[in-house]
Amino acid sequence: MRSVNLLIKPVSSNCNMKCSYCFYNDIANKRKKVSYGKMNEETLENLVKKAIASSEVSCSFAFQGGEPTLAGLEFYEKFLEFVNKYNKNNIKTYFSIQTNGLLIDEKWAGFFKKNNFLVGLSLDGDKKTHDLFRVDKEGKGTYNRVMKTVDLFDKHKVAYNILTVVTSQLAKHPQRVYNFYKRKNFGFVQFISVIEPYGEENVSHPYSLKPKEYAYFLKVLFDNWERDSIKGKYISIRLFDNLVRMIGGYPPQACEMNGMCSIQNIIEADGSIYPCDFYVFEKYKLGNINEIKTMEEILKNEIAKEFIASSLELPDECRNCEWYSLCRNGCKRYRYDGKKYYFCNAYKEFFEYSYERLKKISESVTSSTF
């Protein structure tokens, strides 16, 4: 394998927050075992050793949760010891972590900077929208604590981006959210639409996002992004960046825009391997990092093959849609009726509104931009 990518859950579903819309908390509570605890040292060593041994060019280790910082700083120091121990052929290694930011202090920030970790920080807009759903175990908003982490990251010059979940409430205020992020000088932002609980797609929740709301959010967000890009005040918004790539003939970087699933190598705390963060259920288990010999075994797994194949089902409506080359029926997990992408109409409305301008931007950039 030329490159190996792992998404690691060092403390399983354990978290120091209780976000109303958390999809992984929902998954954990619907499987036989809610939490696998903290990953032990043997499993950590095995995943590093086997990932590097299976890679020819590069190896990417991404930590997520739950809340991965609950594993403690010593866990990540030990992780780096294993990387140095087994990376004798100097394979390129990349490290990243997705965090809610509550435990970050000077030591954590310094560690991320020193060891070139790319940090994803969860933040849902300003205080009004963030504190609606991103609360701690006592039900208290976490905005002020997250912003202290932003200050620490800026102080230590940590490479970080912002991950924002678009709920119904946030979607009503795209201008306010964009202006706030612009004032904070956030250079890299990823907006992801909130997902309904597994198996409960037809039930409305306080945060549930309707396609019409999402279309409005995307259009206003795009207007601001385009305007500032023209002025030379570019903010990287992952969705728009990917669309520009795709129009220019380049593959998207975002998994959900590929038109099919791939094996993401989700490693739970006990070493169990799953194809995707949205499907960490027993029936999708592909093996265990402590038991397999190489990562290639996972790709040959029949469950993995069936998982990928199931994502290729395409409604006739998609085959005849002028926007299929950009939408590609979205992420499998958002096909609430089993076939059609839930936000289909939202994207149709957005593409009709923005395509010519996206195309113009795509024609103005060079391949080096990608």
Side-chain angles (χ1 to χ4, degrees), residues 7-20:
L7 297 177
I8 306 157
K9 295 185 176 292
V11 294
S12 191
S13 61
N14 295 341
C15 192
N16 51 355
M17 287 179 63
K18 195 173 183 179
C19 303
S20 305

Side-chain angles (χ1 to χ4, degrees), residues 13 175 207 286 323:
S13 61
Q175 189 67 60
Y207 49 76
L286 305 179
W323 306 118

Side-chain angles (χ1 to χ4, degrees), residues 26-27 30 195-203 205 278-279 281 333 336:
D26 169 62
I27 287 174
K30 288 175 178 171
I195 193 168
E196 300 295 340
Y198 190 86
E200 301 176 30
E201 290 85 357
N202 295 320
V203 180
H205 299 85
F278 291 147
Y279 294 91
F281 295 105
R333 183 60 181 82
Y336 296 158

Side-chain angles (χ1 to χ4, degrees), residues 68-267:
T69 58
L70 288 172
L73 192 55
E74 297 80 7
F75 176 90
Y76 295 94
E77 291 171 339
K78 178 59 68 173
F79 160 72
L80 291 178
E81 287 182 23
F82 290 140
V83 171
N84 292 331
K85 177 180 178 180
Y86 291 107
N87 193 16
K88 300 302 182 183
N89 294 325
N90 294 316
I91 297 293
K92 291 182 179 178
T93 53
Y94 302 95
F95 312 133
S96 63
I97 187 169
Q98 182 66 41
T99 178
N100 60 34
L102 299 195
L103 295 180
I104 303 302
D105 57 16
E106 296 278 354
K107 289 184 178 179
W108 275 106
F111 174 84
F112 291 147
K113 175 61 179 179
K114 178 182 177 182
N115 296 290
N116 298 312
F117 269 71
L118 173 62
V119 183
L121 181 63
S122 296
L123 176 68
D124 286 358
D126 59 20
K127 185 176 178 62
K128 288 183 180 179
T129 49
H130 180 93
D131 282 349
L132 282 174
F133 302 113
R134 297 197 63 80
V135 298
D136 61 19
K137 292 294 184 66
E138 286 72 46
K140 297 178 180 178
T142 58
Y143 172 83
N144 291 336
R145 281 174 279 179
V146 175
M147 294 314 294
K148 287 182 180 178
T149 293
V150 168
D151 292 339
L152 279 172
F153 285 169
D154 289 340
K155 174 184 175 182
H156 287 268
K157 294 181 172 53
V158 173
Y160 71 99
N161 52 45
I162 299 298
L163 176 64
T164 297
V165 176
V166 184
T167 60
S168 175
Q169 291 77 4
L170 188 139
K172 294 179 175 65
H173 305 285
Q175 189 67 60
R176 195 178 82 200
V177 172
Y178 184 89
N179 288 344
F180 171 64
Y181 285 179
K182 184 177 177 180
R183 289 197 304 272
K184 297 303 297 183
N185 293 315
F186 294 148
F188 301 89
V189 183
Q190 180 181 0
F191 292 96
I192 58 173
S193 50
V194 71
I195 193 168
E196 300 295 340
Y198 190 86
E200 301 176 30
E201 290 85 357
N202 295 320
V203 180
S204 181
H205 299 85
Y207 49 76
S208 295
L209 178 65
K210 301 295 186 291
K212 197 69 179 176
E213 296 172 330
Y214 193 36
Y216 168 74
F217 175 81
L218 291 177
K219 289 192 292 185
V220 175
L221 190 69
F222 175 77
D223 285 342
N224 283 272
W225 176 82
E226 179 198 31
R227 181 198 64 227
D228 283 346
S229 296
I230 292 172
K231 291 180 179 179
K233 300 177 181 179
Y234 173 73
I235 295 176
S236 175
I237 295 180
R238 195 182 189 205
L239 171 61
F240 302 152
D241 291 348
N242 272 260
L243 289 172
V244 169
R245 285 177 59 91
M246 294 168 76
I247 293 172
Y250 294 86
Q253 295 173 324
C255 170
E256 65 271 18
M257 302 176 81
N258 279 321
M260 62 179 291
C261 291
S262 57
I263 303 304
Q264 301 294 310
N265 294 318
I266 308 299
I267 314 292

